[in-house]
Amino acid sequence: TMAEVGEMLYSQQGCLACHSLDGSKLVGPSLKNVYGFEFLTTTGETVLADDAYIKESILTPNVSVIADYPPVMTPYAGILDDREIEAITAFLKTISDRGQTGGQEDK
């Protein structure tokens, strides 16, 4: 499934080094319950972690950083394609209590 591919990419691309899946904080925020929730950014804005935000956060991660985290993530523009980002997003939906809110259904 797309979600399974996304979980595989989470491991292969090294996301697990900085983003936990169990709610614990690492260098970056945990990915558990990220999708579909609102967060405050370092600039004081509130963002909804939907499909568009997840894509932006992967391709250009330091544009909109969740508060209390440093802007240190490596951009994945040119590394991951749209389909891979869709797969990662599908995976994030499966580990969120709001997995089907705020974004498109899995394709």
Side-chain angles (χ1 to χ4, degrees):
T1 66
M2 285 290 281
E4 290 169 332
V5 171
E7 184 175 12
M8 179 189 68
L9 288 166
Y10 164 82
S11 295
Q12 287 181 343
Q13 293 297 321
C15 307
L16 54 94
C18 297
H19 299 281
S20 78
L21 298 179
D22 64 4
S24 61
K25 290 185 175 187
L26 298 175
V27 175
S30 177
L31 298 180
K32 179 181 181 181
N33 282 329
V34 164
Y35 190 89
F37 287 85
E38 291 185 342
F39 296 93
L40 188 62
T41 67
T42 55
T43 60
E45 297 174 80
T46 300
V47 294
L48 174 65
D50 59 5
D51 291 44
Y53 179 79
I54 299 300
K55 182 175 182 175
E56 176 187 75
S57 293
I58 292 170
L59 297 178
T60 55
N62 300 319
V63 169
S64 184
V65 180
I66 293 178
D68 299 326
Y69 290 95
V72 296
M73 184 170 152
T74 301
Y76 279 78
I79 297 171
L80 295 174
D81 64 29
D82 285 346
R83 196 72 174 146
E84 291 169 319
I85 293 169
E86 288 174 21
I88 291 169
T89 303
F91 170 58
L92 295 179
K93 289 177 182 181
T94 69
I95 59 171
S96 176
D97 293 343
R98 297 184 181 172
Q100 294 303 322
T101 62
Q104 300 174 358
E105 296 294 320
D106 290 342
K107 294 175 184 167

